[in-house]
């Protein structure tokens, strides 16, 4: 941790996670406790990450936060809940006799700056990465070493899953106070090295119904959602854990698609109904099923969160052919060289048989771009002082 004059400052990065068994619906809005457990895959930070700098100083007169360069209201309830929780843990650590080596007071105000290297609120799980990163950075600057699930969860439920790399489950827990509603790693990022992830970015606009409002309406009106949570998810959690541990892609892919479809069915069962998928999303679903039918096995799988973007899971030996199939069905508009971001993918020709199997009329420009990535680690501390987003005065550095 760098100390610049009277400033304690720390910078961290945190990953995006994509649920393969979906979280939708809270049993406690205040504590953010879910009606069912969920399981996710942590994506690599080389492609998608949030970077957050937290600084505390006796000179700061108030808490302040900047997101992607713009100052935001620090009084928003979820942000306040995170700050309260981390300060409570820091006080608890002090009273437990772990005297902090740093001469800093818990009364110091904090300045936070955070940037995403991907579009915010476009269905790319930016809130999960953001709050996990916030929790991690605050914990470092305040000297908190306990489990951060609760801190991150109070910001955004799925954020607790971004505290770990690899494959992560968020156990719904049973206690009313939420102390057992925590994230834990099912398998590390090194466990399934062949697994690849493609994000098909359909739309970078903000989604019509935010997740928070959407899931609240679903809990209030969808009998299907309740049935899913109580009767189906527990067995699906066990089965998905087995698929991951055994690296059984066929079963993993099928269950991932079924669970995504069921989540979106509960959105349609909500009253009034919520639709996060658009025509392009549905065409991608069709493309995946055609591709798998042609190969007579599940070689690719889709999942959609509360947005139109598709997240595709596949193995490294299938990436190039599937990207070619996507290019064929959704010819890029002009930005051919910018169409594929992230991990490099060698272009390959499509066989005439596969072209015939895909059969649909192409939809030019339906997919804006593809991000190719893989499973990655949990939050990281950046030791390079040059990485800090806040300068020695505790204000955002001027953009270079």
């Amino acid at each position: 941790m760098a100390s610049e004059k009277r400033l304690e400052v720390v910078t961290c990065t945190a990953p995006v996670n994509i649920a393969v068994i979906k979280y939708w619906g809270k049993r406690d809005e205040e504590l953010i406790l879910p009606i069912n457990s969920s399981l996710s895959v942590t994506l690599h930070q080389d492609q998608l990450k949030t970077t957050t700098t937290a600084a505390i100083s006796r000179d700061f007169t108030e808490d302040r936060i900047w997101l992607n360069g713009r100052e935001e209201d620090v009084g928003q309830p979820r942000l306040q809940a995170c700050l309260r929780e981390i300060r409570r843990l820091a006080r608890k650590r002090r009273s437990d006799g772990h005297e902090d080596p740093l001469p800093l007071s818990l009364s110091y105000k904090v300045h936070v700056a955070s940037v995403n290297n991907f579009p915010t609120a476009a269905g790319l799980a930016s809130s999960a990465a953001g709050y996990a990163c916030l929790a991690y950075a605050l914990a470092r600057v305040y000297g908190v070493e306990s489990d951060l699930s609760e801190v991150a969860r109070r910001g955004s439920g799925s954020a607790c899953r971004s505290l770990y790399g690899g494959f992560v489950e968020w156990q719904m827990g049973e206690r009313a106070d939420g102390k057992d509603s925590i994230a834990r790693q099912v398998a590390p990022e090194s466990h399934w090295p062949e697994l690849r992830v493609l994000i098909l970015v359909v739309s970078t606009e903000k989604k019509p119904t935010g997740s928070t409002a959407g899931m609240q309406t679903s809990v209030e009106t969808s009998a299907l959602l309740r049935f899913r949570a109580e009767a189906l998810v527990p067995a699906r959690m066990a089965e998905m854990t087995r698929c991951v541990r055994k690296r059984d892609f066929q079963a993993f892919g099928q269950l991932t698609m079924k669970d995504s479809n069921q989540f979106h069915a509960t959105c349609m069962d909500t009253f009034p109904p919520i639709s996060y998928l658009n025509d392009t999303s549905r065409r991608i679903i069709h493309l995946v099923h055609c591709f798998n039918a042609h190969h007579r096995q599940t070689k690719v799988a889709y999942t959609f969160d509360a947005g139109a973007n598709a997240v595709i899971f596949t193995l490294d030996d299938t990436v190039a052919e599937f990207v070619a199939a996507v290019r064929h069905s959704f010819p890029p508009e002009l930005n051919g060289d910018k169409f594929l971001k992230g991990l490099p993918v060698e272009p390959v020709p499509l066989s005439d048989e596969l072209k015939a199997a895909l059969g649909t009329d192409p939809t030019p420009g339906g997919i804006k771009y593809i991000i190719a990535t893989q499973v990655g680690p949990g939050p990281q501390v950046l030791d390079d002082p040059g990485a800090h987003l806040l300068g020695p005065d505790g204000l955002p550095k001027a953009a270079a």
Side-chain angles (χ1 to χ4, degrees):
M1 191 183 285
S3 184
E4 298 169 30
K5 297 184 197 137
R6 304 195 299 193
L7 195 70
E8 292 299 339
V9 58
V10 62
T11 298
C12 304
T13 65
V16 166
N17 74 77
I18 298 295
V20 289
I21 301 294
K22 303 294 190 192
Y23 149 58
W24 194 249
K26 305 182 196 52
R27 65 180 193 272
D28 186 312
E29 289 281 337
E30 164 96 10
L31 296 176
I32 308 199
L33 303 178
I35 61 170
N36 63 268
S37 298
S38 53
L39 199 148
S40 61
V41 180
T42 298
L43 304 186
H44 206 288
Q45 295 174 58
D46 284 354
Q47 283 75 45
L48 297 165
K49 68 167 184 269
T50 295
T51 304
T52 299
T53 298
I56 52 178
S57 166
R58 60 191 300 178
D59 299 333
F60 295 165
T61 54
E62 56 182 351
D63 294 332
R64 296 178 73 182
I65 186 162
W66 292 265
L67 298 184
N68 293 312
R70 279 188 36 206
E71 186 159 13
E72 302 282 340
D73 173 21
V74 81
Q76 42 181 307
R78 291 189 171 197
L79 200 53
Q80 284 299 314
C82 283
L83 285 168
R84 263 199 317 277
E85 188 59 26
I86 205 82
R87 284 166 171 154
R88 183 185 70 76
L89 289 171
R91 270 195 303 277
K92 180 170 180 290
R93 186 166 180 265
R94 288 246 170 128
S95 63
D96 288 351
H98 302 288
E99 196 41 57
D100 204 309
L102 297 166
L104 57 87
S105 158
L106 284 171
S107 60
Y108 286 2
K109 301 297 185 185
V110 65
H111 285 191
V112 175
S114 191
V115 295
N116 295 331
N117 67 349
F118 57 91
T120 309
L124 288 183
S126 55
S127 66
Y131 277 108
C133 206
L134 178 68
Y136 203 78
L138 289 173
R140 287 290 174 285
V141 84
Y142 279 117
V144 170
E145 286 165 4
S146 47
D147 182 81
L148 298 175
S149 285
E150 185 161 10
V151 185
R153 199 192 69 224
R154 296 295 291 274
S156 173
S158 52
C160 66
R161 299 189 310 239
S162 277
L163 291 170
Y164 299 96
F167 303 83
V168 184
E169 73 168 321
W170 174 15
Q171 300 168 338
M172 64 179 285
E174 291 172 3
R175 292 174 50 155
D177 65 4
K179 296 296 179 202
D180 57 353
S181 186
I182 56 169
R184 69 172 199 99
Q185 191 180 64
V186 171
E189 59 269 24
S190 56
H191 171 71
W192 200 346
E194 303 80 14
L195 195 64
R196 293 289 178 275
V197 184
L198 299 169
I199 301 171
L200 277 42
V201 177
V202 169
S203 152
T204 46
E205 284 81 57
K206 265 190 127 161
K207 50 204 185 199
T209 310
S211 304
T212 303
M215 68 175 74
Q216 197 168 354
T217 312
S218 293
V219 168
E220 289 162 5
T221 62
S222 172
L224 191 56
L225 181 66
R226 184 124 331 238
F227 178 76
R228 162 184 161 73
E230 292 168 5
L232 304 176
V233 170
R236 287 188 165 188
M237 285 291 294
E239 167 66 0
M240 188 62 85
T241 301
R242 183 200 69 78
C243 294
V244 167
R245 292 208 166 121
K246 292 269 193 294
R247 295 186 281 268
D248 178 349
F249 186 80
Q250 295 272 313
F252 171 85
Q254 286 184 36
L255 185 52
T256 293
M257 292 187 282
K258 286 176 178 176
D259 205 71
S260 175
N261 294 340
Q262 190 176 90
F263 155 54
H264 289 280
T266 65
C267 290
M268 279 306 293
D269 188 51
T270 299
F271 197 80
I274 305 169
S275 185
Y276 288 113
L277 307 182
N278 62 20
D279 286 345
T280 303
S281 314
R282 286 182 278 273
R283 286 197 179 96
I284 292 166
I285 290 172
H286 180 70
L287 169 67
V288 167
H289 287 292
C290 288
F291 188 94
N292 288 336
H294 170 76
H295 286 290
R296 294 193 174 83
Q297 57 174 305
T298 302
K299 296 198 77 166
V300 289
Y302 54 78
T303 187
F304 294 81
D305 281 334
N309 298 331
V311 177
I312 303 290
F313 291 98
T314 187
L315 298 178
D316 54 359
D317 61 4
T318 307
V319 172
E321 188 185 29
F322 186 72
V323 167
V326 170
R327 278 184 183 274
H328 172 78
S329 299
F330 302 94
E333 282 185 335
L334 302 174
N335 65 342
D337 54 333
K338 300 268 196 315
F339 185 64
L340 188 68
K341 305 170 191 276
L343 299 175
V345 177
E346 287 299 312
V348 298
L350 276 191
S351 70
D352 290 337
E353 295 81 27
L354 183 50
K355 276 184 192 165
L358 298 178
T360 51
D361 292 333
T363 311
I367 291 175
K368 290 206 169 82
Y369 56 90
I370 300 174
I371 303 170
T373 183
Q374 58 194 335
V375 186
Q380 314 277 309
V381 176
L382 300 182
D383 292 323
D384 170 21
H388 295 324
L389 303 174
L390 296 169
D393 57 359
L395 298 174
K397 292 180 179 173

